């Protein structure tokens, strides 16, 4: 009966620890997760910066699984390449060790309950009050729950004598087989808990209480690093081949690293013993002493850190080869024919992690593509208009242009429908108020972009009508129109640069200047058209010219509306 009581206390402490980690991670991501995710997206210029960004963000979120899910999502959205993701994944493995260091330094050196309960209380009050920092209250409360769970774990386990766990000693004396048993046990426990950090904390706690010896604990930590790789493949289910390749990178990195350490297990233990002073064998005989427990915790934490550091240092120079290997193992078998494929964008609600902001970032990338579609339609019209006088068969050329623009306009309609449905799915998730407001702005931007494709198609039809009625603009009119059209083209380029980021004061000022210049040019061209009508030129051609000026100016208005929406982020 006593054993059952202890077991339930241990399970309760473990569940409280896991709950604390989740609350803390969710709180940090709700408070600043969007900024962290954007930092992860833009801090991958090279492999070394990628490692650093993965390390820092994993420590802040306290979940390598969460960051690996982010990375897979970014690759799936086309925001990161497989090669860029490799450095970040290496960094996540190092970053997750920092949480173990925090627990080892605080959890085994001071009275945990002295600050754990106050943290829960302060966090709860911050969470209950509706203010801008309420999400940080969740993070503080989760921090308190984490250490309360650790306190329950350490106090619930009785003092263990070597005789009571003699069967573990038997398993530990079988050389390489013992290491493999430990690795397997660590992997299974991590799969069950879905958290390598929680598994590592549990292993350190059990080792400090004498339940498992040091070598078996070290082997189980290796297994925990293998078990945690399951998150990335699950996140990649149904994703693009590049995302599956990224998930495979995570698996191969940890498995290869574990194999290296298994082969050199004894030398690796010797290295850790020389980095951290003290003899763990002696400490194991003095488990009633807090310093001895702390020594075992520090040795295991250093083993965890050294394993990930050494693996990163060994494999970092082979990033290109790694990317080539996973590309060969997971081939991209998508249809690359020139046939038109309907636009699809499926919402991904990840079963491992509630991160709707990731889907918002994914939508932003698609919206940038939509802006690119507008730019391509406008550029095609501009190029067609300017080259029309030099074209032999004008009707054939303009018909080809209009058909091409019609296909793009229909594709834009599909994009608007899919993106709107996608963002509405995002609003059904637990978004913070800032993200909810941003989704509303994105819906407005999508509508404006689709209206712009309609207008681009309309000016294409206008050009087709002018050709069929032989109302071709003269050289003088084209020379007057060209700078005006270039202004709108510059505005479209500015929008593509701004989508997905906060507008700077310089960009906002540039948008105002372009809007003002477009309005001035419009008025000037209108006056020019009226003067030519008064001078007796072909009225229908000049009315067509004025109509074209009006429609192009409308595109500039849409550009300014979108710039205003971006400035409210």
């Amino acid at each position: 009966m006593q054993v059952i009581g202890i077991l339930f206390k241990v399970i309760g402490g473990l569940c409280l620890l896991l709950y604390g980690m989740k609350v803390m991670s969710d709180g940090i991501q709700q408070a600043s997760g969007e900024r962290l995710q954007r930092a992860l997206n833009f801090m991958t210029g090279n492999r070394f910066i990628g490692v650093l960004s993965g390390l820092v963000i994993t420590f802040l979120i306290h979940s390598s699984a969460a960051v690996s899910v982010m990375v897979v999502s970014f690759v799936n959205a086309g925001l990161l390449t497989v090669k860029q993701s490799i450095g970040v994944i290496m960094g996540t493995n190092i970053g997750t060790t920092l949480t173990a260091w925090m627990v080892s330094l605080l959890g085994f050196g001071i009275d945990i309950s002295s600050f754990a309960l106050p943290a829960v209380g302060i966090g709860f009050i911050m969470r209950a009050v509706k203010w801008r920092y309420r999400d940080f209250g969740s993070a503080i409360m989760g921090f308190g729950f984490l250490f309360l769970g650790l306190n329950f774990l350490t106090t619930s386990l009785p003092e263990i004598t070597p005789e009571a766990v003699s069967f573990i000693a038997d398993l530990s004396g079988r050389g390489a087989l013992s290491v493999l048993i430990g690795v397997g046990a660590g992997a299974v426990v991590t799969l069950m808990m879905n958290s390598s950090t929680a598994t590592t904390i549990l292993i350190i706690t059990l080792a400090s209480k004498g339940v498992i010896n040091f070598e078996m604990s070290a082997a189980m930590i290796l297994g925990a690093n293998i078990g945690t790789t399951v998150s990335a493949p699950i996140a990649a289910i149904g994703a693009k081949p590049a995302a599956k390749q990224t998930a495979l990178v995570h698996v191969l990195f940890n498995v290869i690293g574990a194999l290296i350490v298994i082969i050199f297990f004894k030398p690796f233990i010797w290295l850790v013993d020389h980095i951290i002073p003290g003899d763990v064998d002696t400490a194991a005989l003095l488990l009633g002493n807090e310093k001895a427990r702390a020594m075992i915790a520090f040795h295991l934490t250093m083993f965890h850190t050294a394993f990930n550091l050494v693996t990163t240092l060994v494999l970092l120079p082979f990033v290109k080869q790694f990317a080539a290997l996973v590309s060969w193992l997971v081939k991209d078998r998508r249809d690359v024919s020139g046939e038109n494929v309907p636009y699809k964008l499926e919402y991904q609600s990840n079963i491992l992690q509630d991160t709707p902001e990731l889907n918002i970032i994914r939508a932003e990338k698609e919206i940038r593509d939509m802006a690119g579609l507008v730019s391509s339609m406008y550029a095609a019209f501009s190029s067609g208009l300017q080259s029309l006088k030099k074209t032999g068969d004008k009707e054939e050329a303009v018909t080809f242009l209009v058909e091409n623009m019609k296909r793009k306009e229909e594709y834009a309609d599909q994009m608007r429908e899919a993106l709107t449905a996608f963002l509405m799915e995002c609003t059904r998730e637990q978004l913070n108020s800032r993200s909810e407001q941003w989704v509303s702005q994105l819906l407005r931007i999508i509508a404006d972009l689709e209206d712009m494709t309609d207008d681009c198609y309309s000016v294409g039809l206008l050009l087709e009508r002018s050709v069929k009625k032989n109302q071709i603009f003269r050289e003088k009119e084209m020379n007057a129109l060209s700078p005006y059209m270039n202004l709108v083209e510059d505005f479209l380029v500015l929008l593509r640069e701004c989508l997905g980021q906060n507008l700077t004061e310089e960009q906002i000022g540039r948008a105002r200047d372009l809007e003002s210049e477009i309005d001035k040019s419009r008025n000037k061209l209108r006056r020019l058209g009226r003067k030519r009508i008064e001078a007796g030129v072909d009225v229908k051609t000049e009315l067509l010219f004025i109509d074209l000026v009006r429609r192009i100016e409308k595109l500039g208005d849409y550009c300014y509306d979108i710039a205003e929406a971006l400035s409210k982020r």
Side-chain angles (χ1 to χ4, degrees):
M1 196 69 183
Q2 184 180 5
V3 174
I4 295 175
I6 293 172
L7 182 62
F8 275 111
K9 287 182 181 179
V10 170
I11 292 173
L14 188 58
C15 291
L16 191 58
L17 186 146
L18 284 167
Y19 178 71
M21 288 183 63
K22 184 179 186 325
V23 171
M24 182 166 59
S25 176
D26 289 349
I28 292 171
Q29 290 189 75
Q30 284 291 322
S32 57
E34 184 182 349
R35 278 169 283 179
L36 289 175
Q37 291 153 9
R38 292 185 188 282
L40 183 60
N41 182 17
F42 293 109
M43 287 176 63
T44 53
N46 60 57
R47 66 189 73 179
F48 301 104
I49 296 177
V51 170
L52 179 62
S53 62
L55 186 157
V56 172
I57 295 175
T58 301
F59 175 64
L60 290 174
I61 297 178
H62 293 282
S63 174
S64 61
V67 180
S68 66
V69 169
M70 286 184 203
V71 173
V72 170
S73 299
F74 283 148
V75 173
N76 190 52
L79 297 169
L80 288 177
T81 65
V82 175
K83 185 178 173 183
Q84 288 174 318
S85 70
I86 293 174
V88 181
I89 288 171
M90 292 178 176
T92 62
N93 283 283
I94 300 173
T96 195
T97 67
L98 299 179
T99 306
W101 275 111
M102 181 180 72
V103 170
S104 295
L105 290 169
L106 297 178
F108 293 91
I110 60 176
D111 180 15
I112 307 173
S113 58
S114 63
F115 65 85
L117 277 174
V120 173
I122 294 169
F124 179 81
I125 293 171
M126 289 177 66
R127 182 68 181 145
V129 177
K130 291 187 177 180
W131 65 325
R132 60 182 297 185
Y133 298 112
R134 66 195 301 265
D135 290 321
F136 285 110
S138 294
I140 295 172
M141 187 166 62
F143 179 84
F145 280 133
L146 188 155
F147 281 96
L148 273 179
L150 181 62
N151 186 49
F152 277 120
L153 274 177
T154 54
T155 56
S156 298
L157 289 170
E159 295 298 331
I160 306 295
T161 62
E163 292 77 16
V165 287
S166 57
F167 71 97
I168 295 178
D170 293 337
L171 289 176
S172 304
R174 299 176 184 271
L177 180 61
S178 299
V179 176
L180 293 175
I181 291 172
V183 170
V188 170
V189 173
T190 304
L191 288 171
M192 292 170 62
M193 296 173 64
N194 194 32
S195 172
S196 63
T197 301
T199 303
T200 302
I201 293 171
L202 175 63
I203 292 167
I204 291 172
T205 305
L206 293 175
S208 68
K209 298 292 286 187
V211 177
I212 48 180
N213 65 24
F214 181 79
E215 289 192 2
M216 182 65 75
S217 304
M220 289 181 70
I221 286 174
L222 291 179
N225 277 267
I226 295 174
T228 192
T229 62
V230 72
S231 302
I234 291 176
I237 293 174
K240 296 176 182 176
K244 294 176 181 177
Q245 291 165 4
T246 301
L248 184 58
V249 166
H250 195 200
V251 175
L252 289 177
F253 177 80
N254 284 28
V255 170
I256 291 172
L259 289 174
I260 292 172
V261 176
I262 289 170
I263 293 169
F264 300 101
F265 192 72
K266 290 291 184 181
F268 211 81
I269 296 289
W270 177 87
L271 174 65
V272 172
D273 286 341
H274 279 73
I275 296 174
I276 299 292
D279 184 2
V280 289
D281 292 329
T282 303
L285 301 175
L286 302 169
L287 291 174
N289 187 299
E290 288 297 327
K291 289 184 178 180
R293 291 178 179 176
M295 183 188 298
I296 292 173
F298 290 151
H299 273 73
L300 285 172
T301 306
M302 177 52 72
F303 178 88
H304 189 203
T305 304
F307 158 68
N308 285 291
L309 277 173
V310 169
T311 305
T312 299
L313 292 173
V314 170
L315 298 180
L316 189 59
F318 303 103
V319 166
K320 289 183 181 178
Q321 291 80 358
F322 234 83
L325 175 62
V326 295
S327 297
W328 179 73
L329 291 172
V330 180
K331 292 181 172 59
D332 190 345
R333 303 184 186 278
R334 290 175 298 173
D335 181 19
V336 292
S337 64
E339 298 179 7
N340 294 324
V341 179
Y343 179 81
K344 290 183 180 180
L345 182 65
E346 296 180 357
Y347 186 85
Q348 291 181 329
S349 181
N350 196 278
I351 60 174
L352 298 174
Q353 183 195 11
D354 298 324
T355 51
E357 281 82 6
L358 286 177
N359 281 306
I360 295 176
I361 295 173
R362 184 181 172 203
E364 287 174 358
K365 189 265 179 185
E366 299 295 325
I367 294 170
R368 283 198 296 276
D369 291 344
M370 194 173 184
L373 186 66
V374 175
S375 294
S376 69
M377 290 180 71
Y378 184 77
F381 165 75
S382 177
S383 176
L385 179 63
Q386 293 178 19
S387 63
L388 199 58
K389 285 187 74 68
K390 302 174 185 178
T391 304
D393 191 339
K394 293 180 176 53
E395 285 200 25
E396 183 181 352
V398 79
T399 300
F400 177 79
L401 173 66
V402 170
E403 287 177 354
N404 184 41
M405 294 182 78
K406 183 181 180 182
R407 285 195 298 271
K408 290 184 177 181
E409 192 275 330
E410 290 173 349
Y411 192 75
D413 290 344
Q414 295 172 14
M415 290 188 79
R416 178 179 182 176
E417 183 180 343
L419 279 165
T420 301
F422 185 89
L423 287 172
M424 293 307 295
E425 284 289 337
C426 289
T427 61
R428 294 188 180 96
E429 300 285 350
Q430 188 178 359
L431 295 172
N432 57 41
S433 58
R434 185 172 59 250
S435 294
E436 287 178 353
Q437 292 171 3
W438 179 232
V439 167
S440 298
Q441 295 297 333
L442 288 177
L443 289 169
R444 172 185 164 187
I445 291 170
I446 291 166
D448 285 345
L449 287 172
E450 197 275 327
D451 288 340
M452 290 173 77
T453 62
D454 290 341
D455 284 340
C456 285
Y457 179 53
S458 295
V459 294
L461 291 174
L462 199 65
L463 183 62
E464 183 182 40
R465 190 176 70 203
S466 72
V467 169
K468 289 181 177 180
K469 293 184 177 182
N470 200 28
Q471 297 170 348
I472 309 299
F473 298 138
R474 296 171 299 177
E475 191 74 27
K476 187 177 180 181
E477 292 166 329
M478 286 302 306
N479 290 338
L481 192 61
S482 184
Y484 177 64
M485 295 184 67
N486 289 340
L487 287 173
V488 176
E489 191 168 348
D490 290 343
F491 216 153
L492 287 168
V493 170
L494 177 65
L495 283 186
R496 289 197 70 188
E497 292 175 354
C498 297
L499 280 167
Q501 57 180 284
N502 296 326
L503 261 68
T504 62
E505 288 297 326
E506 182 182 351
Q507 289 170 328
I508 294 171
R510 175 64 175 153
R512 292 197 191 101
D513 291 342
L514 284 169
E515 168 70 1
S516 177
E517 289 177 36
I518 289 169
D519 288 345
K520 289 177 183 177
S521 297
R522 173 205 61 194
N523 295 334
K524 182 180 177 180
L525 290 169
R526 279 179 174 176
R527 287 194 298 269
L528 184 64
R530 292 193 193 101
K531 284 180 181 179
R532 283 198 290 264
I533 291 173
E534 292 169 0
V537 299
D538 183 56
V539 174
K540 290 182 178 180
T541 302
E542 291 307 318
L543 289 176
L544 179 68
F545 179 83
I546 293 171
D547 193 16
L548 184 62
V549 169
R550 179 183 63 81
R551 290 174 186 265
I552 292 174
E553 189 267 340
K554 191 177 177 184
L555 290 171
D557 288 341
Y558 280 125
C559 287
Y560 187 68
D561 289 343
I562 293 172
E564 277 197 320
L566 293 173
S567 67
K568 293 177 182 178
R569 183 165 189 168

